[in-house]
Amino acid sequence: MNDSYSGKNGKVKVMYVRSEDNNDRRSNNDSRNNNKRPSSGKGRDQGGRRRDNERPAYSGDRSPWKTVSRPVEESLTPDHGGISGKSQIDPEQLRRQRLEETRIYGENACQAMFQNRPEAIVRAWFVQSVTPRFRDALKWMAANRKAYHVVDDEELVKASGTEHHGGVCFLIKKRNGLDVETYLQQAPAKDCVLALENVGNPHNLGAIMRSCAHFGVQGVILQDVAMLESGAAVRTAEGGAEHIKGIDADGFTTTLNQFRCAGYTIVTTSSHKGSTTLAKADLPEKIVLVLGQESDGLSDSTWEDGDIRLSIGGTGRVESLNVSVATGIMLAEWWRQNKA
């Protein structure tokens, strides 16, 4: 037992500790009392009350409790026999787990995630205002023992890492990228695959995935497919990320050659170099459309490796289009020629 009070020197904790000497005395008395006959009531008056000259069983210096005053900062550390309350998690296992997970946010992105891959959800956070629109998701998570939290905006900013969370955040298991052989086994007869060389801006990647989903493009070749599942990219894709399959490109040129051998036409694009304008091009049913980074476009070696080299005609008043805008225009033309 313990209590505390405030004295001249600040708050003091009072601890009540059993005295070992008194415990031993009590133990000896108990053993002697066990050999005695039951009390006949001597020492009590006719009403059964204790007489004034009879002392209580434990009083004064015979009490098994003594008080020790100790400042709060010197409080005893509980001894649990060497058993710690902290769970022992292998740091290496925790590191691998974090590499396998990512956080996505945005209402449309999380709704699409739940509709397509609910089993990949690890944990979820919501603000109260969006919960009616996630009623099915909440029921499913409760039934499948998935942790979720209804929090205020400040807490959701901490959980998602951004102020642009849209009222919801999911912690999910990452998807692994496909190798070329696996993708080709399930590729459609008419297929446009997008290849991005050194494109890394998550907002551009999100806008590109949104255009891909709109125009029926499934495969996206990227040197680091994990970027397709960054929170900002998935939010900007507005649900389109769930319809995209990332294809690993260990070597960009090698990957393009694998598709060429499988019957695909490699189409490279540039706004800086002379080429056929998109309006005059005939786009085959199976192509790999290659676009470059936001600032410099495609490298010279990749540009020259194209079977068809395209540019988008315009006024020339600006140096180039944003890579996500250029992607949308070219995908729209391929869709018009082959699937519309």
Side-chain angles (χ1 to χ4, degrees):
M1 300 192 310
N2 62 77
D3 203 347
S4 62
Y5 64 89
S6 297
K8 293 181 179 179
N9 296 324
K11 192 173 183 180
V12 176
K13 180 171 286 189
V14 180
M15 304 188 68
Y16 300 87
V17 186
R18 270 193 181 280
S19 168
E20 294 181 359
D21 294 336
N22 285 324
N23 288 343
D24 294 340
R25 188 183 303 121
R26 179 182 178 186
S27 177
N28 293 334
N29 289 338
D30 288 346
S31 62
R32 288 195 298 270
N33 290 336
N34 288 338
N35 296 326
K36 292 182 179 180
R37 294 180 180 178
S39 173
S40 60
K42 293 181 178 180
R44 296 180 179 272
D45 57 22
Q46 294 181 354
R49 292 184 297 274
R50 192 187 308 276
R51 293 176 182 172
D52 293 340
N53 62 352
E54 183 180 355
R55 298 178 64 187
Y58 300 107
S59 64
D61 59 351
R62 295 184 62 198
S63 170
W65 302 99
K66 62 182 178 181
T67 62
V68 179
S69 298
R70 185 184 303 275
V72 173
E73 60 271 14
E74 298 180 9
S75 298
L76 294 173
T77 301
D79 181 8
H80 300 293
I83 300 176
S84 172
K86 296 182 179 179
S87 58
Q88 301 300 319
I89 300 176
D90 182 5
E92 181 62 23
Q93 179 183 351
L94 184 60
R95 186 188 69 83
R96 288 196 304 269
Q97 180 177 325
R98 286 175 176 170
L99 289 174
E100 294 171 357
E101 297 173 348
T102 188
R103 297 183 188 227
I104 66 170
Y105 43 84
E107 188 168 335
N108 289 338
C110 290
Q111 286 283 18
M113 170 70 203
F114 171 67
Q115 295 298 328
N116 289 274
R117 293 185 293 140
E119 71 284 349
I121 301 173
V122 177
R123 187 180 295 269
W125 294 262
F126 306 89
V127 295
Q128 183 66 47
S129 60
V130 307
T131 54
R133 297 189 291 278
F134 281 88
R135 185 177 292 106
D136 292 340
L138 291 168
K139 289 180 180 178
W140 184 89
M141 282 185 275
N144 289 273
R145 303 178 67 83
K146 301 282 187 177
Y148 67 86
H149 315 273
V150 178
V151 297
D152 59 21
D153 186 77
E154 183 178 353
E155 287 297 318
L156 192 50
V157 169
K158 293 179 182 178
S160 63
T162 179
E163 295 179 352
H164 307 291
H165 47 64
V168 58
C169 174
F170 285 175
L171 176 66
I172 65 170
K173 293 287 185 181
K174 290 181 181 177
R175 291 177 292 185
N176 295 323
L178 303 176
D179 55 39
V180 176
E181 293 79 6
T182 302
Y183 176 82
L184 290 173
Q185 290 173 2
Q186 55 194 15
K190 295 182 179 182
D191 190 25
C192 176
V193 173
L194 190 64
L196 302 174
E197 183 184 45
N198 299 322
V199 177
N201 183 291
H203 298 95
N204 282 339
L205 287 173
I208 287 170
M209 287 191 287
R210 188 172 183 177
S211 295
C212 285
H214 182 74
F215 292 113
V217 173
Q218 299 179 25
V220 176
I221 300 170
L222 205 63
Q223 284 127 325
D224 182 8
V225 295
M227 291 192 298
L228 296 175
E229 289 197 318
S230 71
V234 173
R235 181 186 64 82
T236 306
E238 295 288 351
E242 291 304 313
H243 305 282
I244 303 304
K245 299 174 182 177
I247 303 171
D248 283 312
D250 293 332
F252 206 74
T253 302
T254 301
T255 302
L256 295 181
N257 284 333
Q258 287 178 281
F259 275 94
R260 181 183 281 115
C261 293
Y264 285 74
T265 300
I266 308 302
V267 179
T268 55
T269 63
S270 175
S271 59
H272 304 86
K273 305 176 178 72
S275 57
T276 303
T277 60
L278 179 63
K280 298 178 180 180
D282 291 327
L283 299 179
E285 293 180 350
K286 300 178 72 169
I287 69 170
V288 177
L289 180 62
V290 190
L291 291 102
Q293 61 180 313
E294 294 85 349
S295 57
D296 299 326
L298 290 178
S299 63
D300 290 340
S301 59
T302 301
W303 160 256
E304 294 169 358
D305 192 41
D307 302 314
I308 300 175
R309 302 170 193 174
L310 294 180
S311 65
I312 299 172
T315 64
R317 293 173 183 172
V318 293
E319 183 180 3
S320 64
L321 291 171
N322 175 275
V323 63
S324 65
V325 175
T327 300
I329 292 172
M330 292 193 171
L331 293 184
E333 181 60 20
W334 177 81
W335 174 269
R336 185 190 70 80
Q337 293 187 27
N338 294 281
K339 285 197 171 184

